[in-house]
Amino acid sequence: MKKTAGVMGWPLSHSLSPRLHGYWIDKYKLNAGYAALPVRPEDLEAVLRRLPAESLQKGEIFRGTNLTIPLKETAMDIVDVLDPSARRIGAVNTIVLGESGEMIGRNTDGVGFMDSLNEHPDVAALQGGTAVLVGTGGAARAVAVALVDMGFARILMTNRTRERAENLAAHIGEKAEVVDWHARSDCLAEADFLVNTTSLGMSGQPSLDLPLDALKATAIVTDIIYAPQQTELLKAAKLRGNETIEGIGMLLHQAKAGFEAWFGTRPEVDAGLRDHVLEGLKGNE
């Protein structure tokens, strides 16, 4: 019987996940499918509860779904079982249906972020340094945990709503410090690593307002947004001579564990996959 999975979010026009997983399904010749499933936060639980039965009526087995903006934190109160990865991060980006039909909430964003950075040896040299994290959403929570695991001594967090930054800092612990939004550019003088986790700069969204005048020349800048491939933040950093890392790597690497759990095959992130996914960006930037 055909196994199916998908990605849920609102909106989903930017998502390259169907293209990504479709590449692997074709490569490994699986009887499987992966689809974009636009879902509003208020409808998430109802959709998740009814999809398994609806899939069986079509002769398919619904195995689970990825979650993107703005559903990652909403799912924490919906899934039946929280995997330690999701519990530690405080957000769910992958749901897998267990043998008894229970919804298991996982988070592969943190591991995906670290795996993508492992492709850039210069990042390892930043251990013990200071990272500046912009944003406090579901992806930010995963990135913050990853920064701790990577050995950053300080993580400066800034967000337009200070309360959300304070909540995330409390979740992360003593390495986290909150910076007021109005001081976001000044704190870049301390940054060895800068990461944007907000949706600002995504195709169809306003640009991130973050002047880089104070940023160290040696700082590395990354943006987890992958559509467009080169955000205004990355362009500005590159013009200053800073090393930059695109968001596409995190997208590719975070997808591995979910694909394996749903379809039983451990996929590989290779040049062919990267080229195929990036081809989907053309005309949308």
Side-chain angles (χ1 to χ4, degrees):
M1 191 176 292
K2 183 178 181 179
K3 297 178 180 179
T4 63
V7 57
M8 297 181 182
W10 192 271
L12 271 183
S13 58
H14 69 282
S15 181
L16 291 176
S17 290
R19 188 175 181 88
L20 190 171
H21 288 277
Y23 175 91
W24 281 333
I25 288 170
D26 291 342
K27 177 179 179 178
Y28 299 109
K29 298 178 172 58
L30 303 180
N31 182 23
Y34 186 99
L37 305 168
V39 177
R40 297 179 187 271
E42 60 269 26
D43 299 327
L44 179 60
E45 182 167 13
V47 171
L48 286 171
R49 298 294 179 192
R50 72 169 185 258
L51 266 180
E54 289 181 354
S55 296
L56 282 176
Q57 291 174 358
K58 295 187 293 185
E60 300 174 347
I61 302 175
F62 178 69
R63 293 290 294 123
T65 186
N66 285 129
L67 299 175
T68 187
I69 297 171
L71 304 179
K72 295 182 180 184
E73 293 173 83
T74 302
M76 291 284 291
D77 297 324
I78 295 175
V79 296
D80 303 310
V81 179
L82 275 177
D83 182 82
S85 61
R87 191 179 302 278
R88 183 183 179 209
I89 289 169
V92 172
N93 83 318
T94 302
I95 293 177
V96 178
L97 265 65
E99 293 183 3
S100 302
E102 71 276 18
M103 290 190 294
I104 304 168
R106 302 180 179 181
N107 197 300
T108 65
D109 276 337
V111 171
F113 183 69
M114 286 193 289
D115 284 351
S116 70
L117 295 183
N118 286 337
E119 298 177 350
H120 304 270
D122 290 347
V123 176
L126 302 182
Q127 185 172 3
T130 297
V132 172
L133 176 69
V134 183
T136 57
R141 301 180 76 89
V143 169
V145 168
L147 293 173
V148 171
D149 291 346
M150 290 165 61
F152 281 92
R154 298 172 68 211
I155 304 170
L156 307 183
M157 301 178 174
T158 186
N159 189 65
R160 285 176 294 185
T161 305
R162 182 181 172 89
E163 182 180 1
R164 286 183 60 85
E166 290 175 341
N167 290 339
L168 179 54
H171 181 79
I172 295 302
E174 61 183 11
K175 290 187 175 183
E177 303 173 32
V178 175
V179 175
D180 284 331
W181 186 245
H182 67 78
R184 64 193 180 280
S185 294
D186 296 336
C187 77
L188 298 182
E190 303 178 66
D192 299 297
F193 188 66
L194 168 63
V195 53
N196 173 44
T197 68
T198 74
S199 61
L200 295 172
M202 184 185 293
S203 298
Q205 297 292 324
S207 295
L208 174 66
D209 181 12
L210 184 64
L212 301 180
D213 299 352
L215 185 65
K216 291 180 183 179
T218 55
I220 298 176
V221 180
T222 187
D223 197 326
I224 69 168
I225 292 171
Y226 57 82
Q229 184 180 354
Q230 283 286 315
T231 63
E232 292 303 316
L233 174 64
L234 295 183
K235 290 178 182 178
K238 189 171 291 187
L239 281 174
R240 299 179 75 258
N242 292 92
E243 181 179 347
T244 61
I245 299 174
E246 298 170 353
I248 192 68
M250 179 178 174
L251 170 71
L252 302 182
H253 284 285
Q254 63 79 31
K256 295 180 295 187
F259 188 91
E260 182 177 17
W262 299 323
F263 305 128
T265 298
R266 179 69 174 180
E268 180 183 6
V269 172
D270 55 20
L273 173 68
R274 186 179 295 267
D275 291 345
H276 178 77
V277 172
L278 289 177
E279 184 70 24
L281 284 177
K282 293 183 176 179
N284 294 317
E285 298 190 10

PDB file of all heavy atoms in Angstrom, residues 20-54:
ATOM      1  N   LEU A  20      11.726  18.404  -2.652  1.00  0.00           N
ATOM      2  CA  LEU A  20      12.823  17.715  -1.982  1.00  0.00           C
ATOM      3  C   LEU A  20      12.478  16.233  -1.782  1.00  0.00           C
ATOM      4  O   LEU A  20      13.227  15.335  -2.211  1.00  0.00           O
ATOM      5  CB  LEU A  20      13.067  18.402  -0.636  1.00  0.00           C
ATOM      6  CG  LEU A  20      14.293  18.080   0.226  1.00  0.00           C
ATOM      7  CD1 LEU A  20      14.361  19.080   1.378  1.00  0.00           C
ATOM      8  CD2 LEU A  20      14.289  16.678   0.789  1.00  0.00           C
ATOM      9  N   HIS A  21      11.356  15.965  -1.131  1.00  0.00           N
ATOM     10  CA  HIS A  21      10.984  14.583  -0.841  1.00  0.00           C
ATOM     11  C   HIS A  21      10.616  13.825  -2.114  1.00  0.00           C
ATOM     12  O   HIS A  21      10.853  12.610  -2.202  1.00  0.00           O
ATOM     13  CB  HIS A  21       9.839  14.558   0.165  1.00  0.00           C
ATOM     14  CG  HIS A  21      10.255  14.939   1.545  1.00  0.00           C
ATOM     15  ND1 HIS A  21      10.824  14.063   2.427  1.00  0.00           N
ATOM     16  CD2 HIS A  21      10.212  16.131   2.193  1.00  0.00           C
ATOM     17  CE1 HIS A  21      11.112  14.680   3.559  1.00  0.00           C
ATOM     18  NE2 HIS A  21      10.745  15.941   3.444  1.00  0.00           N
ATOM     19  N   GLY A  22      10.056  14.536  -3.084  1.00  0.00           N
ATOM     20  CA  GLY A  22       9.754  13.896  -4.352  1.00  0.00           C
ATOM     21  C   GLY A  22      11.002  13.391  -5.051  1.00  0.00           C
ATOM     22  O   GLY A  22      10.989  12.319  -5.690  1.00  0.00           O
ATOM     23  N   TYR A  23      12.087  14.128  -4.922  1.00  0.00           N
ATOM     24  CA  TYR A  23      13.376  13.704  -5.501  1.00  0.00           C
ATOM     25  C   TYR A  23      13.814  12.380  -4.889  1.00  0.00           C
ATOM     26  O   TYR A  23      14.206  11.447  -5.594  1.00  0.00           O
ATOM     27  CB  TYR A  23      14.419  14.787  -5.251  1.00  0.00           C
ATOM     28  CG  TYR A  23      15.823  14.424  -5.693  1.00  0.00           C
ATOM     29  CD1 TYR A  23      16.274  14.728  -6.984  1.00  0.00           C
ATOM     30  CD2 TYR A  23      16.711  13.788  -4.822  1.00  0.00           C
ATOM     31  CE1 TYR A  23      17.562  14.402  -7.393  1.00  0.00           C
ATOM     32  CE2 TYR A  23      18.000  13.460  -5.220  1.00  0.00           C
ATOM     33  CZ  TYR A  23      18.419  13.771  -6.502  1.00  0.00           C
ATOM     34  OH  TYR A  23      19.702  13.443  -6.900  1.00  0.00           O
ATOM     35  N   TRP A  24      13.745  12.287  -3.569  1.00  0.00           N
ATOM     36  CA  TRP A  24      14.154  11.056  -2.892  1.00  0.00           C
ATOM     37  C   TRP A  24      13.218   9.899  -3.227  1.00  0.00           C
ATOM     38  O   TRP A  24      13.661   8.761  -3.424  1.00  0.00           O
ATOM     39  CB  TRP A  24      14.188  11.279  -1.382  1.00  0.00           C
ATOM     40  CG  TRP A  24      15.413  11.985  -0.885  1.00  0.00           C
ATOM     41  CD1 TRP A  24      16.646  11.995  -1.456  1.00  0.00           C
ATOM     42  CD2 TRP A  24      15.518  12.770   0.311  1.00  0.00           C
ATOM     43  NE1 TRP A  24      17.524  12.742  -0.696  1.00  0.00           N
ATOM     44  CE2 TRP A  24      16.861  13.216   0.390  1.00  0.00           C
ATOM     45  CE3 TRP A  24      14.613  13.128   1.304  1.00  0.00           C
ATOM     46  CZ2 TRP A  24      17.308  14.019   1.443  1.00  0.00           C
ATOM     47  CZ3 TRP A  24      15.059  13.919   2.360  1.00  0.00           C
ATOM     48  CH2 TRP A  24      16.401  14.359   2.424  1.00  0.00           C
ATOM     49  N   ILE A  25      11.906  10.166  -3.284  1.00  0.00           N
ATOM     50  CA  ILE A  25      10.953   9.105  -3.617  1.00  0.00           C
ATOM     51  C   ILE A  25      11.274   8.518  -4.984  1.00  0.00           C
ATOM     52  O   ILE A  25      11.272   7.294  -5.178  1.00  0.00           O
ATOM     53  CB  ILE A  25       9.509   9.647  -3.561  1.00  0.00           C
ATOM     54  CG1 ILE A  25       9.096   9.896  -2.108  1.00  0.00           C
ATOM     55  CG2 ILE A  25       8.536   8.677  -4.227  1.00  0.00           C
ATOM     56  CD1 ILE A  25       7.790  10.652  -1.960  1.00  0.00           C
ATOM     57  N   ASP A  26      11.579   9.382  -5.943  1.00  0.00           N
ATOM     58  CA  ASP A  26      11.938   8.917  -7.283  1.00  0.00           C
ATOM     59  C   ASP A  26      13.296   8.210  -7.280  1.00  0.00           C
ATOM     60  O   ASP A  26      13.461   7.155  -7.906  1.00  0.00           O
ATOM     61  CB  ASP A  26      11.981  10.095  -8.260  1.00  0.00           C
ATOM     62  CG  ASP A  26      10.604  10.673  -8.545  1.00  0.00           C
ATOM     63  OD1 ASP A  26       9.606   9.984  -8.269  1.00  0.00           O
ATOM     64  OD2 ASP A  26      10.533  11.822  -9.029  1.00  0.00           O
ATOM     65  N   LYS A  27      14.255   8.776  -6.569  1.00  0.00           N
ATOM     66  CA  LYS A  27      15.611   8.206  -6.546  1.00  0.00           C
ATOM     67  C   LYS A  27      15.622   6.786  -5.993  1.00  0.00           C
ATOM     68  O   LYS A  27      16.300   5.903  -6.521  1.00  0.00           O
ATOM     69  CB  LYS A  27      16.529   9.096  -5.712  1.00  0.00           C
ATOM     70  CG  LYS A  27      17.953   8.554  -5.570  1.00  0.00           C
ATOM     71  CD  LYS A  27      18.835   9.488  -4.748  1.00  0.00           C
ATOM     72  CE  LYS A  27      20.241   8.914  -4.592  1.00  0.00           C
ATOM     73  NZ  LYS A  27      21.128   9.835  -3.819  1.00  0.00           N
ATOM     74  N   TYR A  28      14.852   6.570  -4.925  1.00  0.00           N
ATOM     75  CA  TYR A  28      14.848   5.256  -4.277  1.00  0.00           C
ATOM     76  C   TYR A  28      13.690   4.372  -4.731  1.00  0.00           C
ATOM     77  O   TYR A  28      13.480   3.295  -4.186  1.00  0.00           O
ATOM     78  CB  TYR A  28      14.835   5.441  -2.752  1.00  0.00           C
ATOM     79  CG  TYR A  28      16.047   6.189  -2.249  1.00  0.00           C
ATOM     80  CD1 TYR A  28      15.941   7.492  -1.762  1.00  0.00           C
ATOM     81  CD2 TYR A  28      17.320   5.627  -2.307  1.00  0.00           C
ATOM     82  CE1 TYR A  28      17.061   8.197  -1.322  1.00  0.00           C
ATOM     83  CE2 TYR A  28      18.448   6.318  -1.869  1.00  0.00           C
ATOM     84  CZ  TYR A  28      18.305   7.605  -1.382  1.00  0.00           C
ATOM     85  OH  TYR A  28      19.418   8.310  -0.949  1.00  0.00           O
ATOM     86  N   LYS A  29      12.950   4.849  -5.740  1.00  0.00           N
ATOM     87  CA  LYS A  29      11.877   4.071  -6.376  1.00  0.00           C
ATOM     88  C   LYS A  29      10.885   3.522  -5.352  1.00  0.00           C
ATOM     89  O   LYS A  29      10.592   2.331  -5.291  1.00  0.00           O
ATOM     90  CB  LYS A  29      12.485   2.934  -7.208  1.00  0.00           C
ATOM     91  CG  LYS A  29      13.371   3.427  -8.351  1.00  0.00           C
ATOM     92  CD  LYS A  29      13.978   2.271  -9.119  1.00  0.00           C
ATOM     93  CE  LYS A  29      14.707   2.742 -10.371  1.00  0.00           C
ATOM     94  NZ  LYS A  29      15.794   3.710 -10.077  1.00  0.00           N
ATOM     95  N   LEU A  30      10.345   4.428  -4.540  1.00  0.00           N
ATOM     96  CA  LEU A  30       9.424   4.047  -3.480  1.00  0.00           C
ATOM     97  C   LEU A  30       7.971   4.225  -3.909  1.00  0.00           C
ATOM     98  O   LEU A  30       7.651   5.107  -4.702  1.00  0.00           O
ATOM     99  CB  LEU A  30       9.682   4.905  -2.237  1.00  0.00           C
ATOM    100  CG  LEU A  30      11.105   4.873  -1.660  1.00  0.00           C
ATOM    101  CD1 LEU A  30      11.187   5.771  -0.441  1.00  0.00           C
ATOM    102  CD2 LEU A  30      11.519   3.449  -1.309  1.00  0.00           C
ATOM    103  N   ASN A  31       7.106   3.378  -3.378  1.00  0.00           N
ATOM    104  CA  ASN A  31       5.658   3.532  -3.570  1.00  0.00           C
ATOM    105  C   ASN A  31       5.174   4.478  -2.487  1.00  0.00           C
ATOM    106  O   ASN A  31       4.683   4.072  -1.435  1.00  0.00           O
ATOM    107  CB  ASN A  31       4.957   2.181  -3.463  1.00  0.00           C
ATOM    108  CG  ASN A  31       3.450   2.293  -3.698  1.00  0.00           C
ATOM    109  OD1 ASN A  31       2.981   3.241  -4.326  1.00  0.00           O
ATOM    110  ND2 ASN A  31       2.693   1.340  -3.186  1.00  0.00           N
ATOM    111  N   ALA A  32       5.382   5.772  -2.728  1.00  0.00           N
ATOM    112  CA  ALA A  32       5.135   6.788  -1.705  1.00  0.00           C
ATOM    113  C   ALA A  32       4.751   8.100  -2.352  1.00  0.00           C
ATOM    114  O   ALA A  32       4.940   8.312  -3.553  1.00  0.00           O
ATOM    115  CB  ALA A  32       6.382   6.969  -0.838  1.00  0.00           C
ATOM    116  N   GLY A  33       4.216   8.993  -1.525  1.00  0.00           N
ATOM    117  CA  GLY A  33       3.850  10.325  -1.999  1.00  0.00           C
ATOM    118  C   GLY A  33       4.053  11.345  -0.895  1.00  0.00           C
ATOM    119  O   GLY A  33       4.025  11.015   0.296  1.00  0.00           O
ATOM    120  N   TYR A  34       4.263  12.588  -1.310  1.00  0.00           N
ATOM    121  CA  TYR A  34       4.480  13.687  -0.362  1.00  0.00           C
ATOM    122  C   TYR A  34       3.838  14.929  -0.952  1.00  0.00           C
ATOM    123  O   TYR A  34       4.105  15.288  -2.096  1.00  0.00           O
ATOM    124  CB  TYR A  34       5.979  13.899  -0.157  1.00  0.00           C
ATOM    125  CG  TYR A  34       6.342  14.922   0.907  1.00  0.00           C
ATOM    126  CD1 TYR A  34       6.702  14.526   2.179  1.00  0.00           C
ATOM    127  CD2 TYR A  34       6.336  16.288   0.623  1.00  0.00           C
ATOM    128  CE1 TYR A  34       7.050  15.454   3.159  1.00  0.00           C
ATOM    129  CE2 TYR A  34       6.663  17.226   1.586  1.00  0.00           C
ATOM    130  CZ  TYR A  34       7.032  16.801   2.852  1.00  0.00           C
ATOM    131  OH  TYR A  34       7.376  17.727   3.810  1.00  0.00           O
ATOM    132  N   ALA A  35       2.987  15.587  -0.160  1.00  0.00           N
ATOM    133  CA  ALA A  35       2.208  16.699  -0.709  1.00  0.00           C
ATOM    134  C   ALA A  35       2.216  17.904   0.212  1.00  0.00           C
ATOM    135  O   ALA A  35       2.431  17.788   1.425  1.00  0.00           O
ATOM    136  CB  ALA A  35       0.763  16.254  -0.933  1.00  0.00           C
ATOM    137  N   ALA A  36       1.997  19.082  -0.371  1.00  0.00           N
ATOM    138  CA  ALA A  36       1.806  20.310   0.398  1.00  0.00           C
ATOM    139  C   ALA A  36       0.372  20.347   0.898  1.00  0.00           C
ATOM    140  O   ALA A  36      -0.576  20.175   0.119  1.00  0.00           O
ATOM    141  CB  ALA A  36       2.098  21.523  -0.472  1.00  0.00           C
ATOM    142  N   LEU A  37       0.204  20.588   2.202  1.00  0.00           N
ATOM    143  CA  LEU A  37      -1.120  20.580   2.820  1.00  0.00           C
ATOM    144  C   LEU A  37      -1.314  21.880   3.593  1.00  0.00           C
ATOM    145  O   LEU A  37      -0.979  21.962   4.776  1.00  0.00           O
ATOM    146  CB  LEU A  37      -1.242  19.382   3.773  1.00  0.00           C
ATOM    147  CG  LEU A  37      -0.949  17.999   3.166  1.00  0.00           C
ATOM    148  CD1 LEU A  37      -0.812  16.953   4.267  1.00  0.00           C
ATOM    149  CD2 LEU A  37      -2.048  17.614   2.187  1.00  0.00           C
ATOM    150  N   PRO A  38      -1.849  22.922   2.957  1.00  0.00           N
ATOM    151  CA  PRO A  38      -2.055  24.195   3.657  1.00  0.00           C
ATOM    152  C   PRO A  38      -3.044  24.034   4.809  1.00  0.00           C
ATOM    153  O   PRO A  38      -4.175  23.587   4.599  1.00  0.00           O
ATOM    154  CB  PRO A  38      -2.620  25.119   2.567  1.00  0.00           C
ATOM    155  CG  PRO A  38      -2.242  24.464   1.270  1.00  0.00           C
ATOM    156  CD  PRO A  38      -2.260  22.998   1.540  1.00  0.00           C
ATOM    157  N   VAL A  39      -2.611  24.392   6.022  1.00  0.00           N
ATOM    158  CA  VAL A  39      -3.453  24.231   7.208  1.00  0.00           C
ATOM    159  C   VAL A  39      -3.263  25.445   8.115  1.00  0.00           C
ATOM    160  O   VAL A  39      -2.124  25.810   8.443  1.00  0.00           O
ATOM    161  CB  VAL A  39      -3.084  22.943   7.981  1.00  0.00           C
ATOM    162  CG1 VAL A  39      -3.936  22.829   9.250  1.00  0.00           C
ATOM    163  CG2 VAL A  39      -3.270  21.703   7.111  1.00  0.00           C
ATOM    164  N   ARG A  40      -4.375  26.030   8.542  1.00  0.00           N
ATOM    165  CA  ARG A  40      -4.310  27.118   9.520  1.00  0.00           C
ATOM    166  C   ARG A  40      -4.091  26.531  10.918  1.00  0.00           C
ATOM    167  O   ARG A  40      -4.511  25.406  11.198  1.00  0.00           O
ATOM    168  CB  ARG A  40      -5.617  27.919   9.500  1.00  0.00           C
ATOM    169  CG  ARG A  40      -5.913  28.615   8.180  1.00  0.00           C
ATOM    170  CD  ARG A  40      -7.246  29.343   8.273  1.00  0.00           C
ATOM    171  NE  ARG A  40      -7.651  29.898   6.995  1.00  0.00           N
ATOM    172  CZ  ARG A  40      -7.312  31.129   6.578  1.00  0.00           C
ATOM    173  NH1 ARG A  40      -6.574  31.895   7.366  1.00  0.00           N
ATOM    174  NH2 ARG A  40      -7.712  31.575   5.397  1.00  0.00           N
ATOM    175  N   PRO A  41      -3.456  27.301  11.818  1.00  0.00           N
ATOM    176  CA  PRO A  41      -3.208  26.793  13.173  1.00  0.00           C
ATOM    177  C   PRO A  41      -4.452  26.273  13.873  1.00  0.00           C
ATOM    178  O   PRO A  41      -4.418  25.235  14.532  1.00  0.00           O
ATOM    179  CB  PRO A  41      -2.623  28.016  13.890  1.00  0.00           C
ATOM    180  CG  PRO A  41      -1.989  28.824  12.819  1.00  0.00           C
ATOM    181  CD  PRO A  41      -2.865  28.641  11.608  1.00  0.00           C
ATOM    182  N   GLU A  42      -5.561  26.980  13.718  1.00  0.00           N
ATOM    183  CA  GLU A  42      -6.784  26.580  14.420  1.00  0.00           C
ATOM    184  C   GLU A  42      -7.391  25.284  13.875  1.00  0.00           C
ATOM    185  O   GLU A  42      -8.239  24.649  14.519  1.00  0.00           O
ATOM    186  CB  GLU A  42      -7.834  27.692  14.371  1.00  0.00           C
ATOM    187  CG  GLU A  42      -8.287  28.094  12.975  1.00  0.00           C
ATOM    188  CD  GLU A  42      -7.471  29.236  12.376  1.00  0.00           C
ATOM    189  OE1 GLU A  42      -6.289  29.408  12.780  1.00  0.00           O
ATOM    190  OE2 GLU A  42      -8.016  29.960  11.522  1.00  0.00           O
ATOM    191  N   ASP A  43      -6.955  24.872  12.685  1.00  0.00           N
ATOM    192  CA  ASP A  43      -7.483  23.650  12.065  1.00  0.00           C
ATOM    193  C   ASP A  43      -6.525  22.465  12.187  1.00  0.00           C
ATOM    194  O   ASP A  43      -6.870  21.355  11.759  1.00  0.00           O
ATOM    195  CB  ASP A  43      -7.760  23.893  10.572  1.00  0.00           C
ATOM    196  CG  ASP A  43      -8.785  24.982  10.336  1.00  0.00           C
ATOM    197  OD1 ASP A  43      -9.698  25.118  11.173  1.00  0.00           O
ATOM    198  OD2 ASP A  43      -8.666  25.710   9.334  1.00  0.00           O
ATOM    199  N   LEU A  44      -5.348  22.675  12.747  1.00  0.00           N
ATOM    200  CA  LEU A  44      -4.305  21.651  12.712  1.00  0.00           C
ATOM    201  C   LEU A  44      -4.745  20.338  13.356  1.00  0.00           C
ATOM    202  O   LEU A  44      -4.585  19.265  12.756  1.00  0.00           O
ATOM    203  CB  LEU A  44      -3.034  22.173  13.392  1.00  0.00           C
ATOM    204  CG  LEU A  44      -1.860  21.183  13.439  1.00  0.00           C
ATOM    205  CD1 LEU A  44      -1.432  20.785  12.036  1.00  0.00           C
ATOM    206  CD2 LEU A  44      -0.678  21.790  14.210  1.00  0.00           C
ATOM    207  N   GLU A  45      -5.285  20.392  14.559  1.00  0.00           N
ATOM    208  CA  GLU A  45      -5.634  19.143  15.243  1.00  0.00           C
ATOM    209  C   GLU A  45      -6.691  18.363  14.477  1.00  0.00           C
ATOM    210  O   GLU A  45      -6.579  17.135  14.305  1.00  0.00           O
ATOM    211  CB  GLU A  45      -6.109  19.419  16.664  1.00  0.00           C
ATOM    212  CG  GLU A  45      -6.432  18.138  17.424  1.00  0.00           C
ATOM    213  CD  GLU A  45      -6.604  18.339  18.912  1.00  0.00           C
ATOM    214  OE1 GLU A  45      -6.715  19.499  19.354  1.00  0.00           O
ATOM    215  OE2 GLU A  45      -6.610  17.331  19.641  1.00  0.00           O
ATOM    216  N   ALA A  46      -7.718  19.045  14.003  1.00  0.00           N
ATOM    217  CA  ALA A  46      -8.790  18.357  13.278  1.00  0.00           C
ATOM    218  C   ALA A  46      -8.257  17.682  12.021  1.00  0.00           C
ATOM    219  O   ALA A  46      -8.630  16.532  11.709  1.00  0.00           O
ATOM    220  CB  ALA A  46      -9.892  19.350  12.919  1.00  0.00           C
ATOM    221  N   VAL A  47      -7.373  18.368  11.295  1.00  0.00           N
ATOM    222  CA  VAL A  47      -6.814  17.799  10.072  1.00  0.00           C
ATOM    223  C   VAL A  47      -5.952  16.583  10.390  1.00  0.00           C
ATOM    224  O   VAL A  47      -6.042  15.539   9.730  1.00  0.00           O
ATOM    225  CB  VAL A  47      -5.992  18.864   9.318  1.00  0.00           C
ATOM    226  CG1 VAL A  47      -5.225  18.225   8.149  1.00  0.00           C
ATOM    227  CG2 VAL A  47      -6.895  19.980   8.808  1.00  0.00           C
ATOM    228  N   LEU A  48      -5.114  16.706  11.411  1.00  0.00           N
ATOM    229  CA  LEU A  48      -4.240  15.589  11.781  1.00  0.00           C
ATOM    230  C   LEU A  48      -5.043  14.367  12.212  1.00  0.00           C
ATOM    231  O   LEU A  48      -4.670  13.224  11.912  1.00  0.00           O
ATOM    232  CB  LEU A  48      -3.302  16.015  12.903  1.00  0.00           C
ATOM    233  CG  LEU A  48      -2.154  16.949  12.508  1.00  0.00           C
ATOM    234  CD1 LEU A  48      -1.447  17.472  13.755  1.00  0.00           C
ATOM    235  CD2 LEU A  48      -1.162  16.226  11.595  1.00  0.00           C
ATOM    236  N   ARG A  49      -6.157  14.573  12.916  1.00  0.00           N
ATOM    237  CA  ARG A  49      -6.952  13.454  13.420  1.00  0.00           C
ATOM    238  C   ARG A  49      -7.717  12.737  12.310  1.00  0.00           C
ATOM    239  O   ARG A  49      -7.932  11.522  12.379  1.00  0.00           O
ATOM    240  CB  ARG A  49      -7.943  13.946  14.483  1.00  0.00           C
ATOM    241  CG  ARG A  49      -7.308  14.546  15.719  1.00  0.00           C
ATOM    242  CD  ARG A  49      -6.529  13.550  16.537  1.00  0.00           C
ATOM    243  NE  ARG A  49      -5.904  14.175  17.714  1.00  0.00           N
ATOM    244  CZ  ARG A  49      -4.994  13.589  18.476  1.00  0.00           C
ATOM    245  NH1 ARG A  49      -4.601  12.355  18.195  1.00  0.00           N
ATOM    246  NH2 ARG A  49      -4.462  14.227  19.510  1.00  0.00           N
ATOM    247  N   ARG A  50      -8.106  13.479  11.271  1.00  0.00           N
ATOM    248  CA  ARG A  50      -8.930  12.835  10.245  1.00  0.00           C
ATOM    249  C   ARG A  50      -8.128  12.260   9.070  1.00  0.00           C
ATOM    250  O   ARG A  50      -8.617  11.388   8.352  1.00  0.00           O
ATOM    251  CB  ARG A  50      -9.988  13.804   9.720  1.00  0.00           C
ATOM    252  CG  ARG A  50      -9.471  14.917   8.829  1.00  0.00           C
ATOM    253  CD  ARG A  50     -10.634  15.653   8.156  1.00  0.00           C
ATOM    254  NE  ARG A  50     -10.184  16.647   7.215  1.00  0.00           N
ATOM    255  CZ  ARG A  50     -10.149  17.958   7.442  1.00  0.00           C
ATOM    256  NH1 ARG A  50     -10.566  18.438   8.625  1.00  0.00           N
ATOM    257  NH2 ARG A  50      -9.733  18.798   6.519  1.00  0.00           N
ATOM    258  N   LEU A  51      -6.901  12.733   8.858  1.00  0.00           N
ATOM    259  CA  LEU A  51      -6.142  12.313   7.679  1.00  0.00           C
ATOM    260  C   LEU A  51      -5.864  10.810   7.611  1.00  0.00           C
ATOM    261  O   LEU A  51      -5.942  10.226   6.523  1.00  0.00           O
ATOM    262  CB  LEU A  51      -4.823  13.088   7.590  1.00  0.00           C
ATOM    263  CG  LEU A  51      -4.845  14.345   6.723  1.00  0.00           C
ATOM    264  CD1 LEU A  51      -3.478  15.024   6.722  1.00  0.00           C
ATOM    265  CD2 LEU A  51      -5.255  14.027   5.302  1.00  0.00           C
ATOM    266  N   PRO A  52      -5.510  10.150   8.719  1.00  0.00           N
ATOM    267  CA  PRO A  52      -5.253   8.706   8.607  1.00  0.00           C
ATOM    268  C   PRO A  52      -6.438   7.925   8.041  1.00  0.00           C
ATOM    269  O   PRO A  52      -6.261   7.068   7.156  1.00  0.00           O
ATOM    270  CB  PRO A  52      -4.946   8.305  10.057  1.00  0.00           C
ATOM    271  CG  PRO A  52      -4.381   9.542  10.667  1.00  0.00           C
ATOM    272  CD  PRO A  52      -5.177  10.657  10.068  1.00  0.00           C
ATOM    273  N   ALA A  53      -7.639   8.215   8.522  1.00  0.00           N
ATOM    274  CA  ALA A  53      -8.822   7.504   8.032  1.00  0.00           C
ATOM    275  C   ALA A  53      -9.124   7.860   6.577  1.00  0.00           C
ATOM    276  O   ALA A  53      -9.473   6.987   5.770  1.00  0.00           O
ATOM    277  CB  ALA A  53     -10.027   7.826   8.923  1.00  0.00           C
ATOM    278  N   GLU A  54      -8.990   9.138   6.250  1.00  0.00           N
ATOM    279  CA  GLU A  54      -9.233   9.565   4.869  1.00  0.00           C
ATOM    280  C   GLU A  54      -8.248   8.907   3.909  1.00  0.00           C
ATOM    281  O   GLU A  54      -8.613   8.533   2.784  1.00  0.00           O
ATOM    282  CB  GLU A  54      -9.132  11.087   4.773  1.00  0.00           C
ATOM    283  CG  GLU A  54     -10.284  11.829   5.430  1.00  0.00           C
ATOM    284  CD  GLU A  54     -10.160  13.333   5.285  1.00  0.00           C
ATOM    285  OE1 GLU A  54      -9.116  13.798   4.762  1.00  0.00           O
ATOM    286  OE2 GLU A  54     -11.090  14.051   5.683  1.00  0.00           O
TER     287      GLU A  54
END
